[in-house]
C-alpha cells in the first residue's frame, strides 16, 4: 500500500511534468473509485493551468486558480506521466491530458483510490480534521507529549491516529518505536517528555530516509511500462517475527494491536 513516502515520491516525480501545464481534457474510464469521481470535473478541469502540487497526508492536491483536485492512491494506485496516445490498460481509470502532449494516468487494480475536487477557498471534509504533517514545523516531541497526557491508548495506536499526526503507517510506526526504544503497547500517557522527543525525531528521520530512497526511482514515472519503485527499507522489526534483533540479538516478537500486526524487541523496547 502506498504510504506517505511513496506519495511524496510520486509528487516529486510528476510535479516537473505537470506544473505550468494546462489540462486539455479529462478522460474518465471508470468513475466508481472509492468515491465516485465528480461528473462535472470533465467540464471543470479543461483549460485550467496546474499551478502547484502539494501533498497533505496521503493526498495529492493539484492546485489551480479555480480549486484543487484531490488525488489518493488508495491501496494499489499509481500515477504516471506518459505520452498521449499510450493505449490504456484494464486498470487505467482516468487520464489528464496536458497541453504538452503528455498525460497523467491513474492506474489502480483495487479501485480504492480517489479523484475529488475542492473549490478555491474551501477545505474538503476529508482534510478538515487531519493532524499536522510529521515532516512539518508543527510536529515535535513536545507536541506529542502535550497531546498524550492522560491517554490510555497504546503509544503505537496514538502515533497512527491521523488526528494526532498524519502519515505514520503501520511499518513506520513499528520502526520508529524500535528506534526510540519504546514498547508499542506502552500507554501513550506514560511515555516521558524526553522519550516523546526521541519518538518524534525517529518518525521524522525514518520517513525522510524512505523519501530519499524512493527518490532514486523517479525516472520510472515517465517510463511507459514503469512501475513506481515503492520504497523497500532495511527494516529492523517490521515483518521480522522470530528473527534476531539487529541491535541485541533477542528474538523479535509479533503482537496484534488495534487490529494491526506489530513487531518489537523485548530487550530494546520498554
Ligand atoms: Zn533488541
Amino acid at each position: 500500500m502506498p504510504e506517505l513516502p511513496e506519495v511524496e515520491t510520486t509528487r516529486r516525480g510528476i510535479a516537473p511534468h505537470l506544473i505550468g501545464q494546462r489540462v486539455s481534457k479529462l478522460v474518465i474510464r471508470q468513475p466508481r473509485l472509492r468515491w465516485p469521481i465528480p461528473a462535472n470535473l470533465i467540464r471543470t478541469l479543461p483549460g485550467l493551468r496546474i499551478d502547484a502540487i502539494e501533498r497533505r497526508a496521503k493526498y495529492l492536491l493539484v492546485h489551480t486558480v479555480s480549486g484543487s483536485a484531490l488525488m489518493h492512491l488508495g491501496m494499489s494506485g499509481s500515477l504516471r506521466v506518459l505520452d498521449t496516445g499510450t493505449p490504456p490498460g484494464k486498470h487505467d481509470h482516468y487520464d489528464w491530458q496536458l497541453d504538452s502532449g503528455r498525460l497523467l494516468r491513474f492506474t489502480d487494480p483495487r479501485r480504492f483510490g480517489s479523484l475529488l475536487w475542492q473549490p478555491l477557498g474551501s477545505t474538503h471534509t476529508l482534510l478538515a480534521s487531519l493532524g499536522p504533517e510529521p515532516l512539518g514545523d508543527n510536529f515535535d516531541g513536545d507536541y506529542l507529549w502535550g497531546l498524550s497526557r492522560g491517554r490510555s491508548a497504546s503509544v503505537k495506536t496514538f502515533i497512527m491516529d491521523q488526528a494526532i499526526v498524519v502519515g505514520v503507517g503501520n511499518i513506520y510506526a513499528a520502526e520508529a518505536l524500535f528506534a526510540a526504544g519504546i514498547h508499542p503497547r506502552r500507554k501513550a500517557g506514560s511515555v516521558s517528555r524526553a522519550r516523546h522527543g526521541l519518538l518524534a525525531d525517529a518518525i521524522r528521520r525514518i520517513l525522510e530516509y524512505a523519501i530519499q530512497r524512493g527518490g532514486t526511482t523517479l525516472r520510472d514515472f515517465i517510463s511507459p511500462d514503469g512501475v513506481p519503485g515503492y520504497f523497500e527499507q532495511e527494516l529492523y522489526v517490521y515483518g521480522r517475527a522470530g528473527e534476531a534483533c539487529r541491535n541485541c540479538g533477542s528474538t523479535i516478537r509479533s503482537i496484534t494491536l488495534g487490529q494491526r500486526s506489530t513487531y518489537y524487541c523485548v530487550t530494546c523496547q520498554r
Side-chain angles (χ1 to χ4, degrees):
M1 179 160 81
E3 293 288 350
L4 184 148
E6 290 84 26
V7 178
E8 178 62 23
T9 300
T10 297
R11 187 189 72 78
R12 294 179 186 185
I14 64 176
H17 304 281
L18 268 64
I19 292 170
Q21 295 294 323
R22 268 178 213 285
V23 182
S24 52
K25 190 178 180 184
L26 173 65
V27 176
I28 300 173
R29 297 185 197 87
Q30 173 53 276
R32 287 175 298 125
L33 302 180
R34 180 167 183 184
W35 294 283
I37 298 176
N40 59 10
L41 267 190
I42 289 176
R43 292 187 302 277
T44 306
L45 274 182
L48 291 176
R49 193 186 67 194
I50 297 167
D51 293 327
I53 305 179
E54 179 191 3
R55 181 188 54 73
R56 177 75 175 105
K58 296 206 297 184
Y59 291 92
L60 290 173
L61 282 83
V62 183
H63 296 306
T64 75
V65 71
S66 300
S68 307
L70 257 67
M71 296 174 172
H72 197 287
L73 302 179
M75 308 284 286
S76 59
S78 62
L79 287 162
R80 285 173 300 160
V81 177
L82 302 166
D83 287 330
T84 302
T86 306
K90 182 181 174 189
H91 303 297
D92 294 340
H93 303 314
Y94 66 76
D95 294 343
W96 290 36
Q97 293 183 7
L98 307 170
D99 275 356
S100 62
R102 285 187 148 162
L103 53 81
L104 178 69
R105 175 163 289 171
F106 179 67
T107 307
D108 186 5
R110 296 183 64 181
R111 289 203 273 126
F112 276 99
S114 49
L115 172 59
L116 298 166
W117 183 252
Q118 171 180 280
L120 193 68
S122 67
T123 301
H124 199 283
T125 50
L126 290 169
L127 305 181
S129 58
L130 294 176
E133 289 289 325
L135 304 178
D137 294 337
N138 298 324
F139 177 74
D140 60 17
D142 282 353
Y143 166 81
L144 276 185
W145 178 80
L147 284 185
S148 70
R149 295 305 86 192
R151 297 234 185 190
S152 58
S154 74
V155 62
K156 178 160 182 267
T157 305
F158 177 68
I159 59 172
M160 290 184 68
D161 181 345
Q162 299 295 296
I164 302 295
V165 57
V166 300
V168 184
N170 199 33
I171 297 174
Y172 299 106
E175 293 294 314
L177 287 164
F178 175 81
I182 301 171
H183 194 295
R185 194 137 59 185
R186 177 174 283 280
K187 289 177 181 172
S190 77
V191 176
S192 70
R193 190 169 195 157
R195 298 223 294 162
H196 272 296
L198 294 175
L199 180 57
D201 289 349
I203 289 170
R204 187 184 287 264
R205 189 172 66 244
I206 286 168
L207 289 172
E208 281 176 347
Y209 180 68
I211 292 167
Q212 184 196 324
R213 292 283 298 269
T216 61
T217 59
L218 290 189
R219 61 190 167 77
D220 287 337
F221 289 97
I222 54 170
S223 152
D225 51 8
V227 176
Y230 285 157
F231 170 75
E232 283 180 43
Q233 181 175 10
E234 185 182 324
L235 301 165
Y236 281 86
V237 287
Y238 187 85
R240 298 191 67 240
E243 295 178 41
C245 173
R246 297 187 201 280
N247 187 38
C248 74
S250 298
T251 303
I252 300 296
R253 296 201 186 159
S254 170
I255 50 171
T256 302
L257 207 53
Q259 289 142 27
R260 307 296 297 273
S261 292
T262 196
Y263 302 85
Y264 66 100
C265 172
V266 285
T267 306
C268 294
Q269 292 175 258
R270 296 300 167 115

